[in-house]
Amino acid sequence: MKPIITWLILSIVVVGFVMAIPSQVLAQEETPVVPQPDLLLTTTYPSQVLEMGKSITVQLKLTAVAEAQTVDMAMKDLPDGWSAVFRGGGRIIHSVYIEPDSSETIDLRLDPPENPESGDTTVVVLAQGEGRTAELPITLSVQEKVPASLSFSTDLPTIKGSPTTTFRYSADLENTGDEELLVTLLADAPNGFLPKFKVSGQDVTSFPLGANQSKAVSIELEPIVEVPAGSHLFVVYASGGDLQASLELVAEITGQHSLSINGLGGRLSGKANAGKETTLPILISNTGTAPAQGVELSATAPSGWTISFDPEVIAEVPAGTQAEVTAIITPADKAVAGDYMVTMRATPVDGANESAEFRITVATSTLWGVVGIAFIAVAVGVVALAVVRFGRR
């Protein structure tokens, strides 16, 4: 029995070993080994846009993996009329020596013919080492030249303010051409406004603008006279050579009231009697460009005086008009005769108060004069009576 068991075990081992061999061979066939190239030729931008009539420089990277070698550079496919030059270290070259496991950078300058056809053109760069070759196709999209232009833009073309506001705008001026321009700024401003321009915080009327560059321009519009309310349009022009750009801006003036206080005929004076109510008409004038709303009247007077107004609040004083108000003045009962100063104020709901000083001349009451005369008469009578009586003795 033992020989039979031993034979069975050996048979099982042999069969398992035979069945394992195809699996290992299949696994090896499913994972092919790709050999690493010994010479690599690459570029970061293998597809570029070329402006018609302009040359282009493409930067190449040449890498040797295994060993040091000298590599010759050439063009495999170059369209008719095109020319190619390889440069390295600032000189024209035809070959490159590369150390093992290192890279060298090469500049390839491509010059198209005078009148190339627009569209895609593919050129092939060839690097030939010692028994090794690398190729690199480069696609160039030839396009017609885009005309140069100046463009003016702003995110906020309309600004609101009062007649004394300096309107400030931020704009961007862009030169889309391939040449630097000396740009001159002009403004067609409304009457009564003074325009100014700033670049980098400096007042300018002209400045250089590089090719394919843009600059921020600050535009100021300052009122130099009284300007009426409304929308005021002005245009800013930028010119450089044969190029010109314009930008329309709006200064929207909302208007502003301007109040003044006067008596009738422009007089800032009045008369009153001590302890008695006296009325004084005053005028509230608005010489501004916007109505004054909710004008409240108030006053500051000497101690013991009372002053009120009829009406106490004016609903509206339109621009260019005036409103008449009655000031009711009562001096103190014991006010001494003479001149007193009273301050009248008019305060709109949307602005600071305006004031004026009035001189009020106070006269004492006639009743006190009569009483004084009576006292004097009694005193004189008493003295006369005394003289007569004592004089007889």
Side-chain angles (χ1 to χ4, degrees):
M1 292 295 292
K2 289 184 179 180
I4 295 174
I5 294 173
T6 303
W7 182 84
L8 288 173
I9 294 173
L10 291 174
S11 299
I12 292 171
V13 172
V14 171
V15 171
F17 178 76
V18 171
M19 292 180 65
I21 292 175
S23 300
Q24 293 177 358
V25 173
L26 182 61
Q28 291 177 356
E29 292 178 353
E30 290 178 351
T31 310
V33 177
V34 179
Q36 186 175 6
D38 294 332
L39 191 64
L40 295 176
L41 182 61
T42 59
T43 182
T44 306
Y45 308 105
S47 178
Q48 300 188 32
V49 175
L50 174 63
E51 185 177 316
M52 188 172 291
K54 298 291 185 179
S55 62
I56 190 171
T57 299
V58 181
Q59 191 174 73
L60 308 176
K61 183 178 181 182
L62 187 62
T63 304
V65 178
E67 59 185 17
Q69 56 186 300
T70 298
V71 180
D72 295 329
M73 305 301 300
M75 300 299 299
K76 181 178 179 181
D77 292 327
L78 192 64
D80 292 339
W82 287 70
S83 63
V85 175
F86 295 96
R87 288 182 176 272
R91 298 182 297 274
I92 297 176
I93 63 171
H94 298 290
S95 61
V96 184
Y97 177 78
I98 307 178
E99 296 287 346
D101 297 323
S102 64
S103 300
E104 294 292 339
T105 300
I106 306 165
D107 290 333
L108 169 62
R109 172 170 171 157
L110 296 168
D111 292 296
E114 292 184 0
N115 297 307
E117 295 182 359
S118 60
D120 292 346
T121 298
T122 300
V123 299
V124 179
V125 185
L126 180 63
Q128 293 180 319
E130 297 174 1
R132 301 169 180 84
T133 301
E135 295 183 1
L136 175 64
I138 300 173
T139 301
L140 302 175
S141 297
V142 181
Q143 296 183 1
E144 293 184 0
K145 181 179 179 180
V146 179
S149 66
L150 279 174
S151 61
F152 237 151
S153 62
T154 181
D155 293 331
L156 194 62
T158 301
I159 297 179
K160 293 183 179 181
S162 70
T164 59
T165 298
T166 297
F167 297 84
R168 294 181 173 88
Y169 306 82
S170 296
D172 289 321
L173 182 63
E174 183 179 8
N175 173 16
T176 60
D178 55 3
E179 294 181 0
E180 182 178 85
L181 298 175
L182 180 61
V183 178
T184 301
L185 298 175
L186 295 172
D188 184 8
N191 292 332
F193 288 94
L194 177 65
K196 294 181 180 179
F197 308 103
K198 292 180 181 290
V199 174
S200 300
Q202 301 295 322
D203 291 334
V204 298
T205 56
S206 62
F207 60 93
L209 184 59
N212 296 306
Q213 290 186 359
S214 63
K215 281 190 178 181
V217 180
S218 176
I219 304 167
E220 295 184 359
L221 194 65
E222 180 182 1
I224 54 177
V225 296
E226 187 72 22
V227 181
S231 295
H232 300 267
L233 173 69
F234 70 104
V235 183
V236 179
Y237 297 97
S239 59
D242 297 331
L243 304 178
Q244 181 169 298
S246 62
L247 181 64
E248 291 188 353
L249 301 171
V250 176
E252 189 170 316
I253 296 181
T254 57
Q256 188 175 23
H257 53 70
S258 179
L259 297 178
S260 61
I261 304 174
N262 285 288
L264 294 180
R267 295 187 300 273
L268 296 177
S269 62
K271 294 182 179 181
N273 293 319
K276 287 190 175 182
E277 183 179 284
T278 301
T279 59
L280 177 68
I282 61 176
L283 297 176
I284 311 299
S285 302
N286 181 7
T287 58
T289 57
Q293 306 285 342
V295 181
E296 182 179 358
L297 283 305
S298 61
T300 300
S303 177
W305 290 45
T306 60
I307 298 179
S308 61
F309 298 89
D310 183 22
E312 292 184 352
V313 178
I314 307 172
E316 179 181 282
V317 183
T321 66
Q322 60 185 17
E324 183 173 335
V325 177
T326 300
I328 305 169
I329 304 173
T330 304
D333 292 338
K334 297 181 180 180
V336 178
D339 293 338
Y340 296 82
M341 300 306 296
V342 174
T343 303
M344 307 283 189
R345 296 185 184 85
T347 307
V349 295
D350 58 347
N353 68 71
E354 298 294 333
S355 62
E357 297 286 338
F358 283 75
R359 186 181 72 253
I360 306 300
T361 301
V362 175
T364 55
S365 173
T366 56
L367 175 61
W368 288 105
V370 172
V371 172
I373 293 173
F375 275 116
I376 294 173
V378 170
V380 171
V382 171
V383 172
L385 181 61
V387 170
V388 170
R389 179 178 296 181
F390 292 107
R392 290 179 180 179
R393 293 179 181 181

